[in-house]
Amino acid sequence: MTDIAASDFRHPRRHVRLDTILRLRWLAALGQLAAIFIVAQGLEFDVPIVPCIAVIGAAAALNLALQIAFNPMQRLEPVYAAALLALNIVELGALLYFTGGLENPFSFLFLVPVLISATALPVRLTIALGLLAVACASVLVFFHLPLPWDSDEPLMLPPIYLLGVWLSIVLAIGVTSLYAFQVTEEARKLSDALAATELVLTREQHLTQIDGLAAAAAHELGTPLATIFLIAKELEKTVKDGQIAGELKMLREQAQRCRDILAKITELSSSGAPFDNMKLSTLIEEAVAPHRDFGVAIKVRIAVAPTREPVGARNPAILYGVGNILENAVDFARSAVEVNAWWNNDIVEIEISDDGPGIAPDLLNRIGEPYLSRRRGADDNQGHQGLGLGVFIARTLLERTGAKVSFANRTFPDHGAVVQIIWPRSQFEESESAPDATS
């Protein structure tokens, strides 16, 4: 079973489209204009309209220039997206300078550009934007124009309150950005890992279909080859010329050789169908066979049950999932791996165990998460990493077939890992689990 490195599926972060940033900037400009209009006209507070409109107008002019000069669908490099978000922070800082600094309740909008960066940009750029927002908030504590308010009763906030506002902005930027980054990173890992799972399943299905196509081709080619063989044999009897007779004999022998090769190919599938049914014991043997010559003894024990042995479809998801878990067991085992299987009228179970170091306690409850890996001990001179993307793919594929996969360690004094794969018998034997069975 081929191993798939996690790094093969860890794609770089998706670049943000220019159109997305511009839409956010236009929305911010319209919101700022509406806020100024409501405060100046609705509440009749004294707002420095000219400098505020100048700041908003400069932002709108930049938006318009970017829309004209570049394709809105263009995906920005992270540094350019960060630069536009930094402009948003500076523009907001300028507006807050003219409208009361941190006394203005809209000062918490410093969070927005940093949160956007946390979900779409690299960590270093997010940290830089967070520091810029904190710097702007710090400057606004000491330098700002009065907050627009009733001139008869001006609002005077104590310094300790402003310090609390500043501290709350700093903490909110840090905590919410970290939370947004963690959630987005987990979603990104899961998305990439599921894409890898689909790729593996597609490849396994393709290989199984090739098996069926080969058997079908062997069946179809058998008839013309038999005809060629028969004609060559009859001509060989009638032609007496030495050179031509030798060539006819060679033609007959090569035709017979082709028939023998096609007969071997046909044996790969008794019915010639791409997805044959297979017994549980056959499934286990097919999964075990590629791993027998790696210096680890593999003991297969199939319990004798009073009921008929389960027969399921030749499902690539099951073959890959069981094979991948078995490959991990062989890789971590010291000397032996055991594969036990049994069944009854309700369930079908396969248990794979090894005599290796077992699963680390801190990883035991997280097995199956994408990109979860732990470097083996110092006795591993190959520096192999296991229990990563491969286990996630295997578990996902097996659970799609209705199996329940659980991981545990052997009971002391034994050592090693134990993986149980349990299907409801009805689902294991369900032929519809293999798509395109009739094609």
Side-chain angles (χ1 to χ4, degrees):
M1 210 50 67
T2 18
D3 188 25
I4 296 181
S7 59
D8 295 341
F9 299 97
R10 285 200 174 188
H11 305 297
R13 294 172 177 269
R14 298 177 179 89
H15 293 172
V16 183
R17 289 189 307 174
L18 176 61
D19 182 64
T20 302
I21 298 291
L22 291 180
R23 285 176 182 270
L24 293 172
R25 287 175 57 82
W26 281 120
L27 181 62
L30 291 175
Q32 291 159 1
L33 283 175
I36 291 173
F37 176 79
I38 292 172
V39 172
Q41 300 298 323
L43 301 178
E44 298 182 351
F45 288 165
D46 186 16
V47 180
I49 295 178
V50 174
C52 290
I53 295 298
V55 173
I56 298 173
L62 177 60
N63 290 355
L64 192 59
L66 289 173
Q67 281 189 323
I68 295 173
F70 300 98
N71 182 358
M73 295 297 106
Q74 177 181 344
R75 295 193 176 275
L76 296 174
E77 292 293 330
V79 64
Y80 297 130
L84 289 177
L85 293 174
L87 278 177
N88 289 349
I89 294 175
V90 174
E91 291 161 4
L92 177 61
L95 287 174
L96 291 175
Y97 170 80
F98 293 114
T99 56
L102 296 191
E103 296 178 1
N104 192 317
F106 290 102
S107 58
F108 279 91
L109 290 177
F110 277 126
L111 287 166
V112 176
V114 184
L115 283 178
I116 294 172
S117 176
T119 60
L121 300 182
V123 177
R124 67 182 189 281
L125 295 178
T126 301
I127 293 175
L129 289 172
L131 293 176
L132 176 62
V134 170
C136 291
S138 302
V139 171
L140 290 173
V141 172
F142 305 101
F143 304 99
H144 60 84
L145 297 182
L147 178 70
W149 203 256
D150 188 348
S151 56
D152 296 332
E153 298 180 7
L155 181 65
M156 299 296 294
L157 297 176
I160 190 66
Y161 179 83
L162 294 179
L163 178 61
V165 172
W166 176 85
L167 185 59
S168 65
I169 291 175
V170 172
L171 292 177
I173 288 175
V175 173
T176 56
S177 298
L178 179 62
Y179 176 79
F181 173 78
Q182 290 291 340
V183 171
T184 306
E185 187 67 14
E186 288 296 322
R188 186 179 294 110
K189 284 182 179 180
L190 183 60
S191 175
D192 290 345
L194 288 175
T197 303
E198 296 294 341
L199 181 61
V200 168
L201 181 57
T202 301
R203 185 184 65 183
E204 294 299 315
Q205 287 176 336
H206 179 65
L207 292 176
T208 307
Q209 288 170 348
I210 289 176
D211 178 22
L213 290 174
H219 177 75
E220 294 296 327
L221 290 173
T223 301
L225 274 175
T227 304
I228 294 172
F229 177 81
L230 180 62
I231 294 174
K233 187 175 181 180
E234 293 299 321
L235 287 175
E236 188 179 1
K237 292 179 181 179
T238 58
V239 174
K240 303 301 182 182
D241 182 87
Q243 181 178 358
I244 297 178
E247 292 176 351
L248 288 173
K249 180 181 179 182
M250 182 182 296
L251 178 62
R252 176 178 57 81
E253 291 174 348
Q254 294 302 313
Q256 181 60 44
R257 184 182 176 189
C258 289
R259 293 178 69 187
D260 294 340
I261 294 172
L262 291 179
K264 293 179 181 179
I265 294 176
T266 306
E267 291 175 1
L268 293 175
S269 176
S270 58
S271 67
F275 296 97
D276 282 340
N277 290 334
M278 60 195 312
K279 295 181 178 180
L280 176 63
S281 55
T282 306
L283 182 153
I284 293 174
E285 183 56 35
E286 189 166 328
V288 167
H291 308 290
R292 287 196 181 278
D293 300 323
F294 291 92
V296 175
I298 302 179
K299 303 174 184 178
V300 178
R301 295 189 179 93
I302 299 179
V304 178
T307 58
R308 176 183 58 85
E309 182 177 357
V311 178
R314 183 186 294 272
N315 192 325
I318 296 178
L319 288 171
Y320 182 88
V322 174
N324 189 282
I325 291 174
L326 183 63
E327 183 179 12
N328 270 310
V330 171
D331 189 42
F332 282 87
R334 290 190 173 96
S335 60
V337 170
E338 294 184 6
V339 181
N340 299 310
W342 70 280
W343 63 88
N344 56 27
N345 289 325
D346 300 319
I347 65 170
V348 176
E349 178 177 339
I350 298 176
E351 182 181 277
I352 300 172
S353 58
D354 62 72
D355 61 352
I359 304 172
D362 61 320
L363 298 182
L364 192 57
N365 294 328
R366 300 173 56 204
I367 293 295
E369 293 182 12
Y371 307 113
L372 179 67
S373 63
R374 172 62 62 87
R375 187 174 294 275
R376 291 180 67 175
D379 57 335
D380 182 10
N381 55 13
Q382 296 178 352
H384 179 79
Q385 290 190 23
L387 301 178
L389 185 60
V391 172
F392 170 82
I393 293 175
R395 185 171 190 169
T396 301
L397 292 179
L398 289 171
E399 288 178 347
R400 286 185 178 184
T401 67
K404 179 181 179 182
V405 185
S406 59
F407 299 83
N409 286 321
R410 284 181 165 180
T411 306
F412 186 81
D414 294 332
H415 53 82
V418 180
V419 182
Q420 284 185 321
I421 310 168
I422 302 175
W423 288 270
R425 179 163 180 153
S426 59
Q427 287 190 267
F428 181 84
E429 294 184 327
E430 191 176 33
S431 61
E432 288 79 8
S433 62
D436 303 324
T438 59
S439 59

